[in-house]
Amino acid sequence: MKTQSKLYFYLSISAILLATIAVWSLSTGVYNFNGASPYKVLWEVVKGNENISPSDTYVIWDVRAARIVMAILIGSMLAVSGTGLQGLFKNPLATGDLIGLTSGATLLAAIAIVLGGHFKQYLPEVVQFSLVGISAFIGAFLSMMLVYRISTSGGKTNVVMMLLTGVAITAIGFSITGFLIYISKDEQLRDLTFWNLGSLAAATWTKNIVLVIVLIISYIVLIPKGKALNAMMLGEKDAQHLGINVEKLKKEIIIVVALMVGTSVAFSGTIGFVGLIVPYILRLLFKSDYTFILPLSAVCGSILLLTGDTFSRSIVEPSELPIGILTALMGGPIFIAILIKFKKSL
């Protein structure tokens, strides 16, 4: 009970910090609400006040609020997916972007963008509407399965093989995506640039509803797995002796992570290193206790991405810096720090 109270305390502090950043983000931007406060405008929009100008309503609700919610949802899912993979592979370098999941999702999304017009009419209407999202999920899932098959032998995962497989998938994805960029039309080229750099500028409430559904389904499966992932740190055989169905756990984590990464890439493009930065920091505070790290990463991932996105659209106003550039800039030094730590332990 004491441990659970401690977790609730940290979750509460993190949630308050997230809410504070969301309030700050809502007021950040060059648009002038005719001298009114952005918070007052939002309140009037929520109340349904029809006297608010359409431009004010659009900026505060459809642009800023929708974007803040998307940053919270995607940041949370990317952090949790990285934490889940690191627990499964028992290695802090196992994240979606480093082992090729993001690249695989981006590749199939790029194929859907450039070549989808040739076969889209033959697909069911529901699939047509979400072709890019479905393609991104399939790409992430196939990449995850390929990495797992190549790097795992006899129930043990070879970390070097895992990272090298990720490098190979990323290289293949980069080359094919480059070819698609070469043959794409102007509109398709803009979409592909969006995927490669990562951005939350295309946030809509429809996309947020899809993200909420994916998040709820994924977290129902993954968040309670903290104790099972703690047992996995002892080794697969010891985990089985403790009553953990290891194979079932692996399949659930692989499918859920592919779903979260694929959906996130489908709506925001390539935003790397969130799944590396957040678990690394939390592991410094709570060691490798996944009963703490998993739920806290859900909130801290939102904090990281929302903060980064707010800076990305305020550093070079009125333009915006792609969020993927900022997360890579933050994640690179942490990746090097992890490698140096590994080097000292050898």
Side-chain angles (χ1 to χ4, degrees):
M1 187 64 183
K2 187 177 180 181
T3 302
Q4 202 154 10
S5 300
K6 189 177 178 182
L7 174 60
Y8 289 150
F9 172 76
Y10 287 120
L11 283 173
S12 300
I13 296 297
S14 301
I16 292 170
L17 179 59
L18 177 60
T20 304
I21 296 170
V23 170
W24 165 58
S25 181
L26 189 67
S27 64
T28 302
V30 296
Y31 183 82
N32 183 12
F33 293 95
N34 299 316
S37 165
Y39 315 114
K40 184 177 180 180
V41 173
L42 178 62
W43 177 244
E44 294 298 327
V45 170
V46 172
K47 288 197 303 182
N49 188 343
E50 297 180 357
N51 295 324
I52 300 296
S53 70
S55 59
D56 286 357
T57 301
Y58 173 74
V59 170
I60 198 68
W61 183 253
D62 295 311
V63 176
R64 291 192 188 177
R67 184 166 178 157
I68 288 169
V69 172
M70 179 174 279
I72 290 171
L73 296 172
I74 289 180
S76 180
M77 288 197 291
L78 289 177
V80 171
S81 65
T83 304
L85 285 178
Q86 290 171 21
L88 178 64
F89 287 111
K90 300 183 288 293
N91 190 278
L93 298 176
T95 62
D97 41 305
L98 292 179
I99 65 174
L101 265 70
T102 303
S103 179
T106 302
L107 172 59
L108 262 72
I111 291 173
I113 290 170
V114 178
L115 304 177
H118 297 289
F119 57 84
K120 185 180 288 188
Q121 64 270 25
Y122 302 108
L123 300 174
E125 189 173 341
V126 177
V127 177
Q128 291 183 29
F129 177 74
S130 54
L131 178 61
V132 176
I134 293 172
S135 300
F137 164 68
I138 294 173
F141 180 76
L142 292 177
S143 299
M144 182 76 256
M145 291 303 298
L146 184 60
V147 169
Y148 179 73
R149 293 292 182 186
I150 293 177
S151 62
T152 303
S153 178
K156 293 184 178 180
T157 301
N158 187 310
V159 177
V160 175
M161 286 297 295
M162 177 184 68
L163 293 175
L164 290 177
T165 304
V167 170
I169 292 173
T170 301
I172 294 170
F174 178 79
S175 62
I176 298 176
T177 304
F179 173 74
L180 293 172
I181 290 173
Y182 180 76
I183 65 173
S184 63
K185 299 176 183 178
D186 288 343
E187 184 179 349
Q188 295 169 343
L189 182 60
R190 285 193 296 270
D191 290 338
L192 288 172
T193 303
F194 159 80
W195 291 110
N196 288 327
L197 295 178
S199 174
L200 301 174
T204 65
W205 288 108
T206 302
K207 292 178 181 178
N208 286 339
I209 290 172
V210 175
L211 287 169
V212 167
I213 293 172
V214 171
L215 182 144
I216 291 173
I217 294 172
S218 301
Y219 285 9
I220 288 174
V221 175
L222 193 54
I223 295 298
K225 296 290 188 291
K227 290 183 178 179
L229 289 175
N230 285 344
M232 287 287 287
M233 297 298 292
L234 303 173
E236 293 187 10
K237 290 184 179 180
D238 289 334
Q240 285 178 333
H241 291 152
L242 293 172
I244 306 298
N245 188 334
V246 173
E247 290 304 315
K248 182 182 178 183
L249 178 67
K250 289 179 181 178
K251 290 176 182 177
E252 288 177 346
I253 292 178
I254 287 172
I255 293 173
V256 167
V257 167
L259 178 63
M260 289 193 290
V261 172
T263 308
S264 298
V265 171
F267 292 155
S268 66
T270 306
I271 300 178
F273 290 103
V274 176
L276 178 77
I277 298 170
V278 174
Y280 176 75
I281 294 172
L282 291 176
R283 198 174 286 107
L284 291 177
L285 299 174
F286 304 105
K287 304 303 179 183
S288 292
D289 188 352
Y290 285 93
T291 57
F292 272 84
I293 295 176
L294 267 177
L296 281 173
S297 64
V299 184
C300 293
S302 299
I303 292 172
L304 175 66
L305 193 60
L306 181 57
T307 303
D309 184 60
T310 305
F311 276 114
S312 75
R313 58 187 177 87
S314 60
I315 291 175
V316 289
E317 290 181 345
S319 301
E320 91 172 52
L321 189 69
I323 182 64
I325 295 175
L326 282 182
T327 56
L329 188 63
M330 290 185 289
I334 290 181
F335 182 65
I336 293 172
I338 294 174
L339 291 177
I340 292 173
K341 187 177 180 181
F342 264 32
K343 180 181 177 181
K344 291 179 178 179
S345 64
L346 292 176

